[in-house]
Amino acid sequence: MLLPRVTLCCLLTLQSQLCHFYSFLRHSRPKLQPSPAVVLRRNLRAPPARWSWRPQPLWRKVLSATAVGVPLLLGAHYITAEPQEKRRMRLVADGAGRFCRSLRVGLKISLDYWWCTNVLLRGVEENSPEYLEVMSACHQRAADALVAGAISNGGLYVKLGQGLCSFNHLLPPEYIRTLRVLEDRALTRGFQEVDELFLEDFQAPPHKLFQEFDYQPIAAASLAQVHRARLHDGTAVAVKVQYIDLQDRFDGDIHTLELLLRLVEFMHPSFGFSWVLQDLKGTLAQELDFENEGRNAERCARDLKQFHYVVVPRVHWDTSSKRVLTAEFCEGCKVNDLEAIKSMGLAVKDIAEKLIQTFAEQIFYTGFIHSDPHPGNVLVRKGPDGKAQLVLLDHGLYQFLDKKDRSALCQLWRAIILRDDAAMKAHAAALGVQDYFLFSEVLMQRPVRLGRLWRSHLLSREEAAYMQAMAREHFEDIMAVLKALPRPMLLVLRNVNTVRAINAALGAPVDRYFLMAKSAVRGWSRLAGEAQPTVHRTSLWRHARVVWEMLKFEVALRLETLSMRLTALLVRVLAHLGLMSSTKELYEYLET
């Protein structure tokens, strides 16, 4: 019995050792990687019951197919599309980016102003140094954001920024200093785009059309960039090349701006400017046709030919198209560059007079009005007589004011200068405006006090503060006045305000109001003379009528001025003798 038990124990021990040895061999052997077939079978194997496949809804299948298929189809279409079609497809994507960028800038500025006024400056006195410092920094951030957004978006956004520059008496100085760079600065395009445009319009690159062509632009504006070149006969020219994608993106930018303005109007009902863009988009579209700009330049030169100091560069039609304009190259400095003007030995007063008379001639007589005369579009150079010449550039945006409206505007300006209340009311009504007093202040951009002449042609600090307060407090009334005006008057107001801003930048060396009033009287006299029967329409008769009307205006103005001065002297004498009390209101009247 003992032997079988010993044998059994030995067998069990041997079996245990064999099991350990097999386990050791199995774990020490390198792990084999499954074959691809095994992996595929495992992946295709049905999932466990708890992860059982359920049929997806139809809408989810469609959504998944769309998410995958649309990008693939668009990518395939883009690869096989023509260059112009590719450009339009890129514009669609860029348009969404411009909209988002504009919306972000608007929200950023709005939130910044809200935070400053409602949190940082809560309880702070409005005109205290701390208040002014915080608001100045806020204005600067907003202006920087506007400039960055306008330059990035380009096109109409730059043009709108240029328009804001003329409101230098209403906007904070931080805006004016910062936005001024938009007058002649924008993102430039590369030489490949220039070549592509020339090939589309002329079927030849620039070096085939010109003896010399500098691909480095000398200026970049909202719609185009300017290159210096030389014709085959050696004539120096300036070649204005439109941004190649501008016409394709114009409608999209207009719709984007309209949507943004409507959103602003929804958030701030009194701030409604969408109707302005709606009314002017047809006029703005004309700027994209450079052939139309060339015709405008030639008409401007004909209308102002009596002003020998006005220079309009001659157009070279054989190297021009709807997107390329080649014109005579004219040297000069910007009209508001005081240092350059003085370095040429030119008189600032002479320049200001010529500038005002030139555009007053268009507004009050010819009716064909340059609507974008910002400093980048008006150059100054020394003429053969040693005096200043004005070089007028960028004739794309013009507005025509018909004879009836011109006549009413001429007489309204004269009535404002003479403080003729009844005439102001009548001629404002002829332009469709009932609130004639407010319209007069909008037109002159200066307080108009009935019965009181301006003591100086310079806008005093008190008057500037009044205009800013008026713009804030009567904004809705101003909008109503602008809506009542004939639509061409909107761009006329832009011209008037831009010239006013340039005169202010020059130090206001001349009385702009009086000079324009003289031009208004002269223009109205000529318009009235042309409307007379044929027997009276001789040049001698018209000249005599103009001289007579000018003389009457001069005499009326001088008599009114003398009357005001005598009245002020009499009041001072009576106050000095104690026969009249000296009050604050009295001295404010005397200082007006």
Side-chain angles (χ1 to χ4, degrees):
M1 292 294 294
L2 181 61
L3 181 61
R5 289 183 181 179
V6 172
T7 304
L8 180 61
C9 289
C10 291
L11 289 174
L12 290 174
T13 303
L14 179 61
Q15 182 182 3
S16 177
Q17 290 177 352
L18 288 174
C19 288
H20 284 294
F21 179 73
Y22 175 77
S23 178
F24 170 78
L25 289 176
R26 188 167 61 88
H27 287 91
S28 62
R29 218 172 13 182
K31 191 174 183 181
L32 296 178
Q33 296 295 329
S35 66
V38 173
V39 173
L40 182 62
R41 282 196 301 270
R42 288 176 182 176
N43 290 335
L44 293 178
R45 190 178 300 164
R50 54 177 183 158
W51 298 104
S52 62
W53 180 83
R54 294 180 182 179
Q56 291 185 347
L58 179 62
W59 66 268
R60 185 173 292 179
K61 293 181 180 179
V62 172
L63 184 62
S64 301
T66 302
V68 175
V70 170
L72 290 176
L73 290 175
L74 290 176
H77 179 63
Y78 181 82
I79 293 173
T80 59
E82 296 293 329
Q84 293 184 1
E85 182 65 21
K86 287 183 179 180
R87 189 167 64 234
R88 281 192 285 268
M89 294 178 69
R90 288 196 300 268
L91 286 174
V92 173
D94 292 342
R98 289 193 298 274
F99 174 79
C100 294
R101 189 182 300 117
S102 303
L103 187 62
R104 185 180 70 248
V105 169
L107 291 175
K108 178 183 177 181
I109 293 174
S110 298
L111 291 175
D112 195 5
Y113 274 106
W114 181 88
W115 179 262
C116 289
T117 54
N118 293 280
V119 178
L120 297 181
L121 297 176
R122 187 174 184 179
V124 179
E125 188 177 350
E126 184 171 347
N127 292 320
S128 64
E130 180 184 356
Y131 181 91
L132 297 176
E133 182 181 358
V134 171
M135 289 307 299
S136 176
C138 185
H139 293 327
Q140 189 61 56
R141 290 192 297 271
D144 291 338
L146 284 176
V147 168
I151 292 178
S152 297
N153 287 344
L156 291 178
Y157 297 89
V158 174
K159 184 158 287 294
L160 291 177
Q162 292 172 350
L164 290 175
C165 293
S166 60
F167 293 93
N168 60 350
H169 60 303
L170 295 178
L171 292 175
E174 293 83 2
Y175 278 87
I176 304 304
R177 288 194 303 266
T178 308
L179 292 172
R180 196 161 286 152
V181 303
L182 296 177
E183 291 174 354
D184 54 1
R185 177 186 167 189
L187 290 179
T188 58
R189 306 295 180 90
F191 71 92
Q192 293 180 343
E193 181 175 307
V194 175
D195 281 345
E196 184 180 349
L197 188 143
F198 269 83
L199 288 172
E200 291 180 6
D201 285 17
F202 300 101
Q203 292 74 51
H207 67 267
K208 295 289 186 181
L209 300 176
F210 302 96
Q211 184 184 93
E212 299 176 7
F213 186 88
D214 187 358
Y215 280 97
Q216 183 63 35
I218 58 177
S222 56
L223 307 180
Q225 58 191 30
V226 181
H227 299 262
R228 191 165 187 170
R230 192 173 297 275
L231 299 177
H232 289 293
D233 63 1
T235 303
V237 292
V239 184
K240 184 177 180 180
V241 182
Q242 189 176 119
Y243 301 132
I244 195 169
D245 58 353
L246 198 61
Q247 294 189 13
D248 295 329
R249 61 179 278 190
F250 180 80
D251 290 336
D253 282 351
I254 286 288
H255 293 321
T256 297
L257 289 170
E258 286 179 339
L259 178 59
L260 290 174
L261 289 174
R262 288 195 177 113
L263 288 175
V264 171
E265 190 172 352
F266 175 76
M267 296 171 65
H268 309 280
S270 62
F271 195 83
F273 278 106
S274 58
W275 62 273
V276 177
L277 190 63
Q278 183 70 26
D279 289 336
L280 295 182
K281 64 182 179 182
T283 304
L284 292 172
Q286 295 178 8
E287 281 198 274
L288 303 182
D289 185 354
F290 283 1
E291 291 178 350
N292 179 68
E293 179 175 345
R295 291 189 293 268
N296 289 345
E298 292 180 340
R299 179 172 176 179
C300 174
R302 291 193 302 269
D303 288 348
L304 302 176
K305 62 183 178 181
Q306 72 274 21
F307 295 148
H308 301 294
Y309 52 80
V310 174
V311 177
V312 178
R314 184 171 68 90
V315 177
H316 295 271
W317 288 106
D318 54 341
T319 51
S320 296
S321 68
K322 287 187 176 295
R323 296 188 293 177
V324 176
L325 183 66
T326 303
E328 171 191 5
F329 185 87
C330 296
E331 295 278 4
C333 68
K334 292 169 65 173
V335 69
N336 61 349
D337 190 344
L338 284 172
E339 292 185 4
I341 290 171
K342 291 177 181 178
S343 68
M344 289 188 286
L346 301 176
V348 175
K349 182 178 180 181
D350 178 56
I351 293 172
E353 286 181 353
K354 290 176 177 177
L355 178 75
I356 293 167
Q357 290 171 356
T358 297
F359 291 113
E361 177 76 4
Q362 290 185 333
I363 292 171
F364 296 123
Y365 182 60
T366 70
F368 192 62
I369 303 162
H370 194 311
S371 301
D372 195 19
H374 66 76
N377 289 338
V378 183
L379 304 182
V380 176
R381 72 180 189 183
K382 181 179 285 190
D385 58 354
K387 296 184 178 180
Q389 286 185 334
L390 301 180
V391 182
L392 303 186
L393 306 175
D394 195 354
H395 300 271
L397 186 60
Y398 267 73
Q399 186 61 267
F400 183 75
L401 194 64
D402 63 38
K403 186 175 291 187
K404 178 179 68 70
D405 292 336
R406 267 179 280 154
S407 179
L409 185 61
C410 288
Q411 296 178 81
L412 175 63
W413 200 287
R414 176 183 182 274
I416 294 172
I417 296 297
L418 296 177
R419 299 300 192 273
D420 187 341
D421 184 44
M424 288 166 60
K425 186 175 182 178
H427 299 309
L431 290 170
V433 178
Q434 299 302 318
D435 193 344
Y436 69 96
F437 188 78
L438 180 60
F439 174 54
S440 298
E441 293 193 328
V442 170
L443 179 64
M444 306 300 283
Q445 289 300 308
R446 186 168 187 175
V448 176
R449 296 181 174 90
L450 296 177
R452 306 188 199 178
L453 296 180
W454 290 311
R455 184 178 180 182
S456 170
H457 63 272
L458 296 174
L459 193 68
S460 67
R461 184 178 302 175
E462 290 76 15
E463 288 176 322
Y466 168 84
M467 291 302 296
Q468 292 178 353
M470 186 267 288
R472 290 193 304 268
E473 297 170 6
H474 300 281
F475 187 81
E476 293 184 8
D477 296 332
I478 293 173
M479 295 299 295
V481 167
L482 294 178
K483 285 184 179 180
L485 285 171
R487 289 299 171 258
M489 277 296 298
L490 296 177
L491 290 179
V492 172
L493 289 175
R494 175 177 178 175
N495 177 293
V496 171
N497 203 39
T498 304
V499 172
R500 179 205 57 76
I502 295 174
N503 186 53
L506 294 174
V510 296
D511 190 338
R512 181 180 69 92
Y513 309 99
F514 181 65
L515 285 177
M516 292 196 68
K518 291 176 68 174
S519 295
V521 172
R522 187 185 303 111
W524 175 71
S525 303
R526 286 185 287 175
L527 291 173
E530 292 172 358
Q532 295 295 325
T534 307
V535 68
H536 297 299
R537 291 183 62 183
T538 63
S539 59
L540 181 61
W541 168 257
R542 288 200 301 269
H543 180 70
R545 182 184 180 91
V546 170
V547 172
W548 172 245
E549 292 295 337
M550 291 295 299
L551 179 61
K552 288 199 302 183
F553 172 71
E554 291 274 3
V555 170
L557 184 62
R558 301 305 175 192
L559 288 176
E560 187 72 19
T561 303
L562 179 62
S563 173
M564 292 292 294
R565 289 180 177 176
L566 290 176
T567 302
L569 178 61
L570 177 61
V571 169
R572 287 181 183 276
V573 170
L574 293 176
H576 181 71
L577 296 175
L579 301 177
M580 180 179 289
S581 59
S582 300
T583 62
K584 180 180 179 181
E585 290 76 13
L586 173 63
Y587 284 104
E588 286 181 354
Y589 173 83
L590 295 177
E591 292 299 323
T592 302

